[in-house]
Amino acid sequence: MNYLIKNATGILASSTIKTTSQFQSKSESAPCDIRISQGLISEIGQGLELINNETLIDATNCVIYPGLINTHHHLAQSVLKGIPAGLNSGLGDWLAAVPYRFWPNIDAQLMYDTATLGLAELLRSGATTCCDHHYLYHESVSPEVEEAVWQAATDIGMRLVLCRGGATSIGSHKGLKGGGIQPETVEQMIKRLDDSRSRYHQADANAMRRLVVAPTSLIHSTKAEDLKALAAYARRHSLKMHSHLLEVDFDERQSRLLHGTSAVQYAEECGWLGEDVWFAHLVKASAQDIDLFAKTRTSISHCPTSNCRLGSGVAPVIAMENSGMNITLGVDGSASAENASMIQELNLAWLLHRSIHGPEATSAEQIVKWGSQNAAKLLGLDAIGEIKVGKAADVVLFDMSHYRYWGNHSQTLAPVIAGEPVEVKTVLVNGRMIVNNGEIKGIDLDKTQSSLIQGLVRLKEKVGNF
Ligand SMILES: [Zn+2]
């Protein structure tokens, strides 16, 4: 299907139409039209006419954004929001009370439904690509649990980067200890990674499916020799690498205690720094750590909502950006964010760093770049991240007709500066319409809801009340 979007204003790449600023805003130019052919943005200009059975999309009263790219998520947590035992806890107690308690008991059907829910939430907030840090692995795990995540993304039509987590030692992993289950061996992990790679991974710049090597924790539950083996495997097959790091001080303390070195130096010793690596959080990164990240071109997924919710702190992303690091944004799991909204992350990042560092710390335009272009660059998905001729058509139209936008003189940036709630009217991914008039086409939400309710009953039978 080919489309012509008429009367579009929004976040368009600077080279699209002559402008001196990095992004074009409504005040800088008249609306334009965007032609989408064979999945690609083929023409941008004024007064374009419908040709060759194109379908018209009227963007009047909308703003158009490149599909946002979430670089850190845990879709398995979409049904674990607001668990009372973890509501007022910091990371350590929260991990024990929430994800560790539940994850070994999530079956394939519940995983499919919770992934569908999480992806739908992301889509509603303008995201078209999700990096899911999926960690539900142990020695005897069924492959169907991971397959459910791939299937959910296929059914909804979003791009999925599956960051394949897991652990190879119990270490301080209370989830493995408490669940009485054995971690995978590194050989098992690599064998299973390889099965997924041959089945799902696409290497091209316009990939709909990507596999990433992503042990859940560098410091606590994967041995140094295993980390080295995983890094070697990833680099042999040009797979990106991802993990959690320095979310709280515990990583640094444990690294010094167990490995006699700082967490970031330990990562470097294990081959876990480089332009093919990104870490979620890095809240406790020191100036020295930032220098090493910048030198090695390691990136961050900044997750402000989750960091606030767990009381972890605020990642020093302004210093990171000034050092040349690539900043991207993630929502983290909904068990520590209570929603999955990329717009919330953009809005909070914009507010938080201005609050701490002053009004010139960052701008809304820069934040949009973190949530789109920077993430595409990190992932090597060069076909997406910008609205520009030749790029894949991952575009989002936010509906701006609601009275909450009346009187806002920066309509183009309103989704970021006014934050939630936003409403998406239309979403295209790779030129395929997956949201039409606010309705997600690929899923039946009523069916998802009743299946989720049944899945939660099964979960309760195994773990007791929430
Ligand atoms: Zn996480």
Side-chain angles (χ1 to χ4, degrees), residues 36-314:
I36 292 164
S37 318
Q38 309 293 321
L40 297 178
I41 297 167
S42 59
E43 192 177 4
I44 300 180
Q46 261 113 26
L48 303 188
E49 300 288 342
L50 275 174
I51 53 169
N52 300 336
N53 299 322
E54 285 171 339
T55 300
L56 180 71
I57 298 173
D58 183 4
T60 309
N61 295 323
C62 294
V63 294
I64 188 164
Y65 274 48
L68 299 173
I69 301 169
N70 170 19
T71 56
H72 184 71
H73 200 51
H74 304 289
L75 289 168
Q77 296 179 8
S78 303
V79 286
L80 301 177
K81 302 179 187 111
I83 300 285
L87 211 48
N88 297 311
S89 307
L91 179 69
D93 292 338
W94 170 85
L95 280 168
V98 188
Y100 286 168
R101 193 172 152 224
F102 294 97
W103 75 261
N105 298 300
I106 293 176
D107 58 37
Q109 181 60 50
L110 182 55
M111 188 61 239
Y112 176 83
D113 293 326
T114 184
T116 300
L117 172 63
L119 290 169
E121 289 182 74
L122 284 170
L123 191 52
R124 186 211 56 80
S125 74
T128 52
T129 300
C130 175
C131 297
D132 181 35
H133 197 178
H134 178 72
Y135 53 75
L136 310 193
Y137 300 95
H138 53 84
E139 191 189 29
S140 53
V141 70
S142 161
E144 291 175 356
V145 180
E146 181 190 306
E147 284 163 16
V149 184
W150 295 107
Q151 192 59 50
T154 299
D155 291 347
I156 208 165
M158 288 174 70
R159 293 185 199 264
L160 177 70
V161 178
L162 193 139
C163 304
R164 204 275 191 198
T168 61
S169 75
I170 289 190
S172 53
H173 198 306
K174 291 177 193 162
L176 292 170
K177 270 184 196 159
I181 47 178
Q182 287 302 311
E184 298 173 291
T185 62
V186 72
E187 292 78 20
Q188 262 179 333
M189 196 187 259
I190 289 174
K191 164 79 176 61
R192 290 167 175 173
L193 267 163
D194 212 47
D195 290 344
S196 299
R197 185 179 66 83
S198 54
R199 229 173 132 185
Y200 299 106
H201 178 72
Q202 298 164 348
D204 60 295
N206 190 23
M208 290 296 291
R209 303 281 168 265
R210 273 285 175 86
L211 183 69
V212 168
V213 178
T216 313
S217 163
L218 286 199
I219 308 296
H220 307 293
S221 55
T222 308
K223 290 169 282 203
E225 60 265 33
D226 295 346
L227 289 173
K228 287 176 189 169
L230 288 165
Y233 172 79
R235 291 190 169 122
R236 196 157 56 244
H237 297 288
S238 302
L239 302 179
K240 307 275 181 197
M241 297 152 64
H242 176 54
S243 191
H244 294 100
L245 197 65
L246 291 174
E247 183 169 356
V248 292
D249 287 325
F250 188 55
D251 277 10
E252 187 69 11
R253 285 204 308 273
Q254 283 295 98
S255 180
R256 290 191 183 275
L257 188 73
L258 300 173
H259 312 301
T261 185
S262 79
V264 177
Q265 279 164 345
Y266 176 68
E268 188 179 38
E269 283 169 19
C270 295
W272 273 80
L273 297 183
E275 62 182 329
D276 50 357
V277 182
W278 83 104
F279 293 111
H281 306 305
L282 298 181
V283 171
K284 303 298 179 185
S286 67
Q288 218 175 3
D289 296 335
I290 293 171
D291 283 348
L292 196 47
F293 288 135
K295 204 172 88 191
T296 55
R297 304 168 71 85
T298 306
S299 299
I300 179 177
S301 176
H302 177 36
C303 306
T305 301
S306 174
N307 297 155
C308 286
R309 147 76 159 91
L310 290 171
S312 303
V314 179

